[in-house]
């Protein structure tokens, strides 16, 4: 049997040709196609419920994303976030481990939440000249930082100089001091641990 | 980099075709016809009928009585037009028509027994050789896959590639069906002879 002839009629194969001739009587006779309905209406595909479901799902996803974004933005830029920072700074200042020397803080009483909200925002203009902090009288709404005062420490400016800072500068200054106090407390903890471990080690060596 | 190399590179880039043009599949004739039929064009429907009627005829001939095949071919195409909204992929209209033909043949076969088919063929009195009837009966006794493929090849005169293209089968499957079906047919005819 010629496989090529069986596949695409190339070459010759008497047996297959004989079968083709015998079965030719049953072959399809070309005729006219059935007539379509006289009144031909434009074909309208049925709207699949899947496309509607996909559209609804996409809309719901966009809506959810917008809600989450608005919520995140409101939490990040609202006054609640600032209040939380103030509260955390107050709790950190109450930590007895912090022993950072700072200028006198009796001139800066603790602010209230309502006054913090009225905190004005001013543009900071930078100049090429070295920054000279002009100390001004501090307003009453600045949060207080309860820190130990060390008058012998020459690194810190006198209270009169600090009192001349503007409201924003004072707030930034206090935040910086707070961060420094927290950092120093952590460092002190680490230092104590190291000292204790070294001392215990030396005791063990001496016992041996 | 010399001017020659730069010019060569630019020329090479200019002659390169975008990937979308190289890999884009050509639009098949059936796709265009389906779109026109959906708009109600009779000429497009006639052309589709002309393309696939032999295939539908062969599939029905493998399953039902010979004198009922012509009417069933018409019914298959009318049913296809009515259910055109169910066709998702226009390129696969051939396989879709084949499926409709098989389903229609199954509905018809339930109401008629196989023994009646041969008797009806003999009673018609038409000028048909007994040898042709015996060969057709032998082909119909083969498994479905071999029977259908052999009738499309030996009766309708389609090549292997045409059978694969219209029925949606792979060329390899068609080749295997033809080879094995022919082998079994020769054994059946050889036993009788």
């Amino acid at each position: 049997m010629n496989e090529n002839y069986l596949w695409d009629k190339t070459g010759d194969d008497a047996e297959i040709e004989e079968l083709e001739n015998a079965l030719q009587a049953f072959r399809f006779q070309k005729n006219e196609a059935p007539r379509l309905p006289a009144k031909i209406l434009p074909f309208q595909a049925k709207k699949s419920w899947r496309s509607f479901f996909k559209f609804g799902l996409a809309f719901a996803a966009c809506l959810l994303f917008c809600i989450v974004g608005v919520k995140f933005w409101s939490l990040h830029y609202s006054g609640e976030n600032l209040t939380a920072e103030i509260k955390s700074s107050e709790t950190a200042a109450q930590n007895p481990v912090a022993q950072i020397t700072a200028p006198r803080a009796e001139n800066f009483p603790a602010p209230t939440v309502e006054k913090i909200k009225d905190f004005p925002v001013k543009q900071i203009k930078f100049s090429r000249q070295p920054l000279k902090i002009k100390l001004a009288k501090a307003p009453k709404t600045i949060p207080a930082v309860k820190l130990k005062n060390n008058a012998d420490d020459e690194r810190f400016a006198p209270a009169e100089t600090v009192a001349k800072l503007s409201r924003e500068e004072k707030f930034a200054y206090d935040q910086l001091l707070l961060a420094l106090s927290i950092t120093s407390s952590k460092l002190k903890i680490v230092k104590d641990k190291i000292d204790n471990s070294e001392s215990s080690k030396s005791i063990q060596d001496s016992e041996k | 980099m010399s001017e020659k190399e730069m010019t060569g590179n630019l020329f090479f880039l200019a002659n390169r075709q975008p990937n979308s043009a190289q890999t884009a599949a050509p639009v098949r004739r059936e796709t265009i016809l389906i779109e026109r039929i959906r708009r109600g064009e009779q000429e497009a429907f006639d052309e589709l009928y002309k393309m696939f009627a032999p295939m539908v005829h062969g599939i029905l001939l493998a399953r039902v009585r010979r004198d009922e095949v012509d009417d069933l071919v018409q019914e298959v195409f009318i049913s296809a037009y009515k259910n055109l909204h169910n066709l998702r992929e226009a390129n696969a209209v051939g396989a879709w028509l084949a499926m409709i033909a098989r389903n229609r043949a199954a509905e018809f076969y339930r109401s008629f027994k196989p023994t009646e088919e041969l008797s009806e063929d003999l009673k018609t009195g038409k000028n048909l050789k007994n040898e042709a009837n015996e060969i057709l009966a032998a082909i119909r006794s083969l498994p479905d896959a071999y029977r259908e493929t052999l009738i499309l090849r030996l009766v309708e005169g389609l090549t292997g590639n045409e059978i694969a293209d219209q029925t949606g089968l792979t060329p390899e499957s068609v080749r295997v069906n033809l080879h094995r079906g022919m082998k079994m047919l020769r054994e059946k005819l050889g036993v009788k002879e």
Side-chain angles (χ1 to χ4, degrees), chain B residues 170-182:
Chain B
T170 61
E172 292 75 21
S173 298
V174 173
R175 191 183 290 272
V176 167
N177 291 341
L178 283 175
H179 177 77
R180 293 180 181 174
M182 198 64 203

Side-chain angles (χ1 to χ4, degrees), chain A residues 25-203:
Chain A
F26 301 118
R27 186 171 290 185
F28 170 73
Q29 303 298 324
K30 292 180 182 179
N31 54 8
E32 289 186 2
R35 295 287 101 187
L36 295 177
K39 191 175 182 181
I40 299 171
L41 298 174
F43 179 80
Q44 290 181 355
K46 289 181 181 179
K47 291 183 180 178
S48 174
W49 62 272
R50 289 182 184 177
S51 60
F52 181 77
F53 178 72
K54 286 180 184 177
F55 176 74
L57 196 63
F59 179 75
C62 290
L63 193 63
L64 185 66
F65 181 77
C66 291
I67 292 171
V68 169
V70 167
K71 186 71 176 175
F72 177 77
W73 181 83
S74 63
L75 286 175
H76 188 70
Y77 291 106
S78 66
E80 296 174 1
N81 197 12
L82 193 58
T83 307
E85 287 180 357
I86 293 169
K87 287 182 181 177
S88 65
S89 67
E90 290 179 354
T91 54
Q94 292 173 0
N95 189 356
V97 181
Q99 294 179 0
I100 294 294
T101 56
R104 296 172 186 174
E106 59 265 19
N107 294 330
F108 313 111
T112 58
V113 175
E114 290 79 11
K115 292 179 181 179
I116 288 295
K117 284 183 180 178
D118 296 335
F119 197 87
V121 178
K122 294 180 182 179
Q123 285 186 349
I124 300 174
K125 295 181 181 179
F126 295 95
S127 61
R128 293 184 180 179
Q129 296 177 357
L131 181 64
K132 295 180 181 179
I133 297 175
K134 294 183 179 181
L135 303 177
K137 186 177 182 181
K140 296 181 181 179
T141 58
I142 299 298
V145 179
K146 296 180 182 179
L147 298 169
K148 191 176 181 180
N149 183 20
N150 186 358
D152 296 332
D153 200 329
E154 296 178 354
R155 291 177 296 173
F156 298 95
E160 296 175 357
T161 311
V162 176
K164 293 181 182 178
L165 290 175
S166 67
R167 200 179 287 180
E168 303 97 337
E169 292 166 346
K170 187 65 183 74
F171 181 74
Y173 181 72
D174 291 337
Q175 291 293 317
L176 179 63
L177 290 177
L178 177 64
L180 287 171
S181 68
I182 295 170
T183 307
S184 68
S185 64
K186 300 295 181 186
L187 286 172
K188 192 177 186 311
I189 293 170
V190 171
K191 183 185 174 186
D192 291 340
K193 281 188 179 178
I194 292 171
D195 292 340
N196 290 336
S197 64
E198 286 180 352
S199 62
S200 62
K201 195 176 182 181
S202 63
I203 292 170

Side-chain angles (χ1 to χ4, degrees), chain A residues 3 7 9 20 27 31 43, chain B residues 38 49 153 155 157 160 179:
Chain A
E3 292 287 338
W7 177 249
K9 300 181 184 178
E20 286 177 330
R27 186 171 290 185
N31 54 8
F43 179 80
Chain B
R38 282 175 174 163
Y49 180 84
R153 171 62 185 88
V155 177
H179 177 77

Side-chain angles (χ1 to χ4, degrees), chain B residues 38-49:
Chain B
R38 282 175 174 163
R39 291 195 293 265
E41 295 186 24
Q42 181 67 44
E43 292 80 15
F45 186 75
D46 292 345
E47 190 172 342
L48 188 77
Y49 180 84

Side-chain angles (χ1 to χ4, degrees), chain B residues 32 46 48 51 56 59 76 79 81-82 94 138 140 165 168-169:
Chain B
I32 300 171
D46 292 345
L48 188 77
M51 283 176 66
V56 172
I59 291 174
V76 165
S79 175
Y81 176 76
K82 288 179 181 178
R140 283 178 174 177
D165 190 49
L169 296 171

